[in-house]
Amino acid sequence: MPAGAPPKKKRTGLIVTLVVLVVVLLALAGAGIWLVLKNAKVLDTTKLETQIAAELTTRIGDTITVDCPADQPVETGYTFECVASDSSGTKRVVVITEDDDQGNVTWELTDREP
């Protein structure tokens, strides 16, 4: 370095600070995404299975069980299928349609086998 020239500034501290800041921001973003996914509304399919089975048992006069896929999103107009089984093992599809984003549904027993 020539005489009288100011010493070169080291930027190590600045670089470390920026790297730490980026890591912290990425961690916060990841935590935010995780919270959104964790708190996403899903339909209580266990309750739905019980309600449909009770109504079908009364309507048909045979013991009916219903099996619905878990983790169905609560979303207006969303449809999915469950399977209703009678005591003899006959299975039919139940089509579920979500009426709103509050978990209210309508359903229809079809003649279709799963």
Side-chain angles (χ1 to χ4, degrees), residues 26-46:
L26 288 173
L28 289 173
I33 291 169
W34 179 80
L35 283 173
V36 167
L37 293 175
K38 179 180 176 276
N39 292 324
K41 291 174 84 174
V42 293
L43 196 63
D44 184 351
T45 52
T46 302

Side-chain angles (χ1 to χ4, degrees), residues 29-91:
I33 291 169
W34 179 80
L35 283 173
V36 167
L37 293 175
K38 179 180 176 276
N39 292 324
K41 291 174 84 174
V42 293
L43 196 63
D44 184 351
T45 52
T46 302
K47 179 180 174 183
L48 182 62
E49 290 168 343
T50 302
Q51 291 172 338
I52 295 172
E55 188 170 330
L56 286 174
T57 296
T58 300
R59 188 188 308 175
I60 295 172
D62 189 4
T63 302
I64 306 295
T65 59
V66 177
D67 184 36
C68 297
D71 298 330
Q72 297 301 308
V74 176
E75 181 181 319
T76 304
Y78 183 79
T79 61
F80 62 97
E81 295 180 350
C82 300
V83 177
S85 304
D86 65 18
S87 62
S88 67
T90 301
K91 297 180 183 211

Side-chain angles (χ1 to χ4, degrees), residues 6-12:
K8 252 186 156 178
K9 292 183 179 176
K10 291 189 176 185
R11 297 185 184 191
T12 306

Side-chain angles (χ1 to χ4, degrees), residues 8-29:
K8 252 186 156 178
K9 292 183 179 176
K10 291 189 176 185
R11 297 185 184 191
T12 306
L14 177 62
I15 292 171
V16 169
T17 301
L18 289 174
V19 168
V20 168
L21 181 61
V22 167
V23 168
V24 168
L25 289 174
L26 288 173
L28 289 173

